[in-house]
Amino acid sequence: MVVKSNQRVNTPDINITKNTFSMEDSGRGASYTVPCDDYVHVVEFSPFDSGSAALLAYGGNQYVVVGTCRFQEEDMEVEGVEFTTLRVFHHALRVDCLAWSPESRLDKLPQLIRFCTAAADRKVRLLTSDLQNQHEVKVMEGHTSYINHLVFEPTEGKQIASVSDDHTCRVWDLEGNETTTFRLRSPGVSVCWHPEDAFKLMVAEKKGTIRFYDLVTQQAILSLDCGQSPLMSADWCLTNTIKVGAVTGSDWVIWDITRSSYPQEKRPAHVERAGNFRWSRVNENLFSTTGCPGKISSQLLVHHLGHPQPVMIGSATVGAGLSWHRSLPLCVIGGDRKLSFWMTEM
């Protein structure tokens, strides 16, 4: 493994810009949209309390935009959504996945923005900024194939885990040292680190297996089986640690990990292959799935475990990425020059 030294990030001088966007009228369209300058490949709300409005980052071709979002459901002075751009970061390649650090704070001085990304060059990049004059990027090398997902340790943010087509899950410290490597039996597609169980790591593999690893003993301690493949995306429920969900083939599947290694619930979700699965961060029975981006549109489905059919169906032009707000029943996907937000009635 070669670790590159810190590099200065060549970012343009960006003034903080604030824009308010109104509600969409279309029934199947988004509740709100925010225009962007380029195609959005990935979008992530920070799942952590940053001391202000919700932090959001989205990435495209050679850039990451970091900003805050405020919605009319949480602030009566806002009409629709108010998106404030804090900074635009230059990125060497197209951003393929992104994860927020719990250290990101806007309510203390100096302010701190920290997140990591992965791109097609098989490298993890750690970007840090005080939104003033200090900006740096660290490049972490070790993966030998495409990186599919990454996540910060959620309590202190001093480690990063990443999974790749190279059949490994790797854990890094913030200096870029690879501290742990788990050998997988197929490509790693998702990795989750739960704030209530920070010594365990959940790793989902494309062949349909999800394993939980003990980070102290570095051994697998629990295994879940989809019973089918390919498994494309999995998530560990924030509000109930015994719930795990995934999309495999065109179906969604849900486990209660205390009951069985096989799913307790399984239903068809998308006509063609499903792409993403994400639990709501405010309701243990609410989750969303997306179909893989098509030539014209991508389908977003919001499901509730108490309802046999999706509680909301949305359609976005060639969507990419999927993320839930940390305190509202609202999710976002990226697309062609816009972010699309859907508010769900719980």
Side-chain angles (χ1 to χ4, degrees):
M1 180 192 69
V2 178
V3 180
K4 292 187 178 180
S5 60
N6 293 2
Q7 302 173 6
R8 302 290 290 187
V9 184
N10 297 318
T11 54
D13 292 329
I14 299 294
N15 294 321
I16 291 179
T17 57
K18 182 182 292 187
N19 295 286
T20 301
F21 305 95
S22 299
M23 197 165 189
E24 295 272 307
D25 294 327
S26 171
R28 288 175 60 91
S31 304
Y32 315 108
T33 59
V34 171
C36 307
D37 290 336
D38 197 1
Y39 187 89
V40 177
H41 293 282
V42 62
V43 57
E44 289 288 342
F45 277 116
S46 172
F48 308 108
D49 181 6
S50 61
S52 71
L55 278 170
L56 181 140
Y58 64 90
N61 295 310
Q62 300 185 316
Y63 74 91
V64 177
V65 175
V66 169
T68 59
C69 284
R70 195 176 295 278
F71 297 89
Q72 64 183 21
E73 285 80 2
E74 58 186 341
D75 188 339
M76 294 180 62
E77 295 183 1
V78 173
E79 293 184 16
V81 56
E82 182 180 272
F83 183 80
T84 303
T85 300
L86 299 176
R87 187 167 183 87
V88 179
F89 294 82
H90 173 73
H91 197 272
L93 296 164
R94 190 186 88 178
V95 183
D96 290 324
C97 48
L98 183 151
W100 278 100
S101 166
E103 293 187 285
S104 296
R105 302 292 301 185
L106 296 178
D107 60 344
K108 297 178 182 178
L109 293 176
Q111 293 179 321
L112 179 66
I113 293 293
R114 177 170 285 161
F115 59 94
C116 60
T117 64
D121 61 359
R122 308 182 298 278
K123 297 172 185 176
V124 175
R125 288 172 172 81
L126 174 65
L127 294 97
T128 305
S129 172
D130 65 357
L131 299 178
Q132 298 296 321
N133 301 314
Q134 298 296 318
H135 315 287
E136 66 176 34
V137 59
K138 236 169 227 178
V139 181
M140 306 176 187
E141 300 184 36
H143 280 296
T144 58
S145 189
Y146 191 85
I147 300 169
N148 293 307
H149 196 213
L150 32 69
V151 65
F152 272 88
E153 189 282 318
T155 58
E156 297 182 356
K158 301 303 184 185
Q159 297 178 90
I160 299 165
S162 55
V163 288
S164 165
D165 282 351
D166 66 9
H167 295 208
T168 67
C169 171
R170 301 174 192 242
V171 180
W172 317 78
D173 65 23
L174 298 194
E175 296 304 313
N177 301 304
E178 192 178 313
T179 59
T180 305
T181 302
F182 297 108
R183 304 291 171 186
L184 311 178
R185 298 175 190 176
S186 65
V189 295
S190 296
V191 57
C192 299
W193 217 327
H194 202 288
E196 294 179 21
D197 217 344
F199 293 102
K200 293 186 181 72
L201 205 58
M202 190 194 91
V203 179
E205 297 186 30
K206 194 170 185 177
K207 280 191 175 178
T209 302
I210 298 173
R211 290 186 178 87
F212 290 80
Y213 293 91
D214 186 312
L215 290 167
V216 178
T217 65
Q218 299 190 11
Q219 299 294 317
I221 55 175
L222 178 67
S223 179
L224 306 175
D225 189 347
C226 283
Q228 66 186 76
S229 64
L231 193 164
M232 297 304 296
S233 174
D235 197 20
W236 193 355
C237 183
L238 178 66
T239 53
N240 188 340
T241 58
I242 69 172
K243 286 186 175 181
V244 170
V247 284
T248 174
S250 60
D251 302 333
W252 61 257
V253 291
I254 304 287
W255 290 264
D256 172 342
I257 64 174
T258 65
R259 293 177 59 187
S260 171
S261 61
Y262 291 99
Q264 273 68 61
E265 298 202 46
K266 172 184 170 182
R267 287 184 200 153
H270 299 272
V271 176
E272 297 182 357
R273 188 160 52 96
N276 289 300
F277 181 105
R278 294 290 185 272
W279 288 104
S280 162
R281 292 178 176 133
V282 296
N283 185 332
E284 66 175 78
N285 293 313
L286 198 64
F287 61 94
S288 56
T289 61
T290 58
C292 287
K295 294 181 180 180
I296 299 173
S297 66
S298 177
Q299 190 180 48
L300 167 75
L301 299 178
V302 177
H303 314 264
H304 191 286
L305 288 176
H307 297 266
Q309 300 296 326
V311 295
M312 196 198 69
I313 300 173
S315 182
T317 305
V318 197
L322 174 63
S323 184
W324 284 87
H325 191 280
R326 65 175 297 272
S327 59
L328 294 173
L330 175 143
C331 56
V332 60
I333 62 175
D336 188 8
R337 298 181 183 271
K338 66 180 178 180
L339 301 174
S340 300
F341 300 87
W342 276 269
M343 184 67 71
T344 304
E345 297 292 333
M346 287 200 296

